[in-house]
Amino acid sequence: MTYEEAKKKLALAGQEHLLKYYDELDAGQQENLLGQIEKLDLSLLQLIGDGKIETAKGKLEPLGAVTIEEIAEKKDIYEEKGLEAVRAGKVGAVLLAGGQGTRLGLDKPKGMLNVGMTKELYLFEQIVANLMQVVKKADAWVPLFIMTSEKNNADTTGFFEEHDYFGYNKDYIYFFVQEMAPSVSYEGKIYMEGKDKLATSPNGNGGWFSSMARAGLLEKGKELGVEWLNVFSVDNVLQKIADPVFVGATIVSGCICGAKVVAKADPNEKVGVLCMEDGKPSIVEYYEMTDEIIHSRDEQGKLLYNYGVILNYLFEVNTLVKIMNENMPVHVVEKKIPYIDENAQLVKPTEPNGYKFETLILDMIHMVDNCLSFEVEREKEFAPIKNRTGVDSLDSARELMQRNGILL
Ligand code: UTP
């Protein structure tokens, strides 16, 4: 793209400020900046109005879950079926590690967080340890696909290498990098991170499968015989990965997707709830529900919209291939975005100062025809680290880890 072309493209969207420092840059930097402008998807900017662009929800209906008690009754059958699939190489794991962890405020990948107290124990290490339990039980390696972003790929891959992949077989680890989207001010102006660099952020966890495809990993999966992908987040230290009971239950149910859920701690808990929307499974955020829906109960007094998701899903690969090119809703999310000010000084805000654009994995659930809602014990499988203090923090996760016998 030439300077003139870039100028024209930006003028149409009121973003000419991105070329402010062009004349000060050397040839390489100029080329770099023009390359970024060429790739820029300016249509995203139309999503910013009053900051509330979420589409209205359809007709909601409750969706029950296979409960902990029901699962316990059939555990052996499910587990055997799941182990069989793992042994046959049909199950892959996908670690979503492209996020920026802005709430925690780390300047390195979240997975590099040391959760240990008397020894070093990194999040990545604990995740690998959780997966190793299945590897040992099945006596088979589970392919582990790890999504990073441009911002943290080098640190992440370096960290794994430095720690010898935490004992995992590195031939079964595949890194891939997700796409980026521009970050903008509340007025819709794209921020700059440097004189030759637009401020960009990872484009959410919804594009994981298309990013995997772009990285050529679908062929790899096919070669390995992977039929199911268990996708999970980097920050839930207690989660089970490629859990044979979950895999087996989903296969036995005939569903093409499964979601691990926990019973809500109270009706107003701020979690996404798995339910039905216009006849298809869907995850609805707490703020998208009316009070009436939130509090509705069955004859036994149990909440009808009772099951919150914990970002641990199992998808059939064939289904993912079918839905891969469908458009996903783009969410406009308020974030703290580092930027250069009018004096070209880098500012790292302590409060949100604009928006980034994200697609979310939870929207994929509404793109599939059915989904097994699979209840797990919160105290045993859900200890996310999202915040610096209080709820879902390092302290709360440590406490839960210790209660589960993990030596810190
Ligand atoms: P979160 O929604 O908690 O986002 O991600 P985050 O970036 O980790 O943290 P905050 O919101 O900025 O504080 C849930 C999971 O999705 C991954 C994260 O790494 C985490 O495992 N994720 C998120 C991506 O892989 N890419 C993204 O663009 C966003």
Side-chain angles (χ1 to χ4, degrees):
M1 174 174 259
T2 64
Y3 174 79
E4 285 310 321
E5 285 165 343
K7 201 168 159 191
K8 204 163 148 199
K9 176 173 177 178
L10 296 176
L12 288 170
Q15 305 288 334
E16 300 95 314
H17 63 283
L18 300 178
L19 288 167
K20 181 174 167 188
Y21 300 104
Y22 187 81
D23 292 337
E24 291 178 31
L25 305 175
D26 65 30
Q29 290 170 320
Q30 287 181 340
E31 198 183 322
N32 184 22
L33 182 62
L34 294 179
Q36 292 170 64
I37 295 171
E38 185 172 12
K39 278 203 275 170
L40 201 57
D41 177 5
L42 290 169
S43 68
L44 287 173
L45 302 177
Q46 290 162 9
L47 296 171
I48 300 175
D50 55 4
K52 287 199 170 53
I53 49 87
E54 304 295 321
T55 47
K57 286 284 158 192
K59 183 172 182 290
L60 301 186
E61 283 166 300
L63 175 66
V66 278
T67 61
I68 293 166
E69 296 75 30
E70 286 163 347
I71 294 164
E73 276 170 28
K74 296 204 175 137
K75 182 170 175 268
D76 293 347
I77 300 171
Y78 292 155
E79 186 165 41
E80 197 35 53
K81 191 86 190 160
L83 284 173
E84 205 180 278
V86 172
R87 275 188 210 112
K90 291 183 183 172
V91 184
V94 184
L95 164 58
L96 301 175
Q100 291 178 294
T102 49
R103 280 170 287 177
L104 263 189
L106 299 176
D107 54 3
K108 55 188 181 194
K110 217 188 221 185
M112 286 170 62
L113 183 71
N114 180 12
V115 295
M117 290 160 88
T118 60
K119 59 169 192 168
E120 285 176 2
L121 179 62
Y122 301 100
L123 265 181
F124 282 139
E125 184 175 7
Q126 185 59 42
I127 283 171
V128 170
N130 294 354
L131 181 55
M132 277 306 287
Q133 292 182 10
V134 179
V135 168
K136 284 198 185 120
K137 211 166 205 173
D139 195 19
W141 292 101
V142 173
L144 173 60
F145 302 93
I146 303 178
M147 182 164 88
T148 63
S149 81
E150 262 173 34
K151 303 238 180 212
N152 69 14
N153 184 58
D155 281 345
T156 306
T157 53
F159 194 67
F160 268 88
E161 201 180 331
E162 195 184 307
H163 289 87
D164 204 14
Y165 300 85
F166 301 106
Y168 212 73
N169 182 343
K170 80 172 197 305
D171 295 343
Y172 284 85
I173 295 189
Y174 307 91
F175 292 96
F176 63 102
V177 182
Q178 71 172 101
E179 276 72 51
M180 306 293 279
S183 304
V184 302
S185 68
Y186 288 127
E187 293 73 40
K189 299 282 181 202
I190 297 171
Y191 278 119
M192 297 197 77
E193 223 170 71
K195 289 182 176 179
D196 65 337
K197 199 163 182 341
L198 312 189
T200 55
S201 328
N203 65 348
N205 55 25
W208 66 275
F209 191 68
S210 43
S211 296
M212 253 181 99
R214 234 161 292 167
L217 289 174
L218 296 198
E219 285 76 38
K220 182 40 82 186
K222 217 173 187 177
E223 208 179 282
L224 295 166
V226 174
E227 292 179 9
W228 295 90
L229 287 172
N230 179 209
V231 196
F232 60 98
S233 68
V234 71
D235 48 30
N236 177 8
V237 268
L238 282 185
Q239 73 195 312
K240 293 188 181 167
I241 303 154
D243 172 4
V245 184
F246 179 41
V247 173
T250 308
I251 295 175
V252 169
S253 74
C255 286
I256 50 180
C257 166
K260 285 201 168 186
V261 295
V262 291
K264 275 196 197 175
D266 73 81
N268 292 312
E269 189 183 353
K270 293 178 175 173
V271 285
V273 168
L274 183 58
C275 57
M276 298 296 283
E277 179 190 352
D278 294 336
K280 286 180 89 177
S282 183
I283 294 166
V284 181
E285 291 290 357
Y286 62 98
Y287 54 80
E288 296 172 315
M289 294 183 156
T290 59
D291 259 7
E292 192 191 333
I293 285 192
I294 289 176
H295 293 281
S296 55
R297 292 177 187 270
D298 65 13
E299 299 89 62
Q300 280 82 44
K302 191 171 155 186
L303 285 177
L304 281 171
Y305 294 84
N306 190 31
Y307 295 107
V309 286
I310 60 168
L311 217 176
N312 192 311
Y313 305 107
L314 185 70
F315 289 99
E316 189 198 47
V317 175
N318 284 340
T319 305
L320 290 169
V321 171
K322 278 189 220 143
I323 63 171
M324 180 166 66
N325 295 321
E326 282 179 28
N327 281 337
M328 293 185 75
V330 179
H331 298 254
V332 179
V333 193
E334 265 192 285
K335 290 274 165 163
K336 296 175 215 161
I337 303 155
Y339 66 99
I340 53 167
D341 63 14
E342 49 290 349
N343 304 316
Q345 295 304 308
L346 186 67
V347 181
K348 288 190 175 174
T350 50
E351 293 302 321
N353 60 330
Y355 301 117
K356 67 180 194 180
F357 302 95
E358 295 190 329
T359 58
L360 302 179
I361 187 170
L362 56 83
D363 288 317
M364 286 177 101
I365 299 298
H366 196 46
M367 296 162 80
V368 301
D369 291 334
N370 51 57
C371 179
L372 180 76
S373 181
F374 182 94
E375 189 191 6
V376 298
E377 277 181 68
R378 177 186 286 262
E379 294 71 23
K380 291 197 178 150
E381 294 201 32
F382 192 43
I385 303 176
K386 300 282 185 195
N387 306 310
R388 276 170 175 268
T389 52
V391 182
D392 297 343
S393 63
L394 179 57
D395 289 344
S396 61
R398 276 180 172 154
E399 198 184 319
L400 281 162
M401 288 174 90
Q402 282 173 324
R403 267 196 250 157
N404 280 280
I406 299 173
L407 194 69
L408 295 178

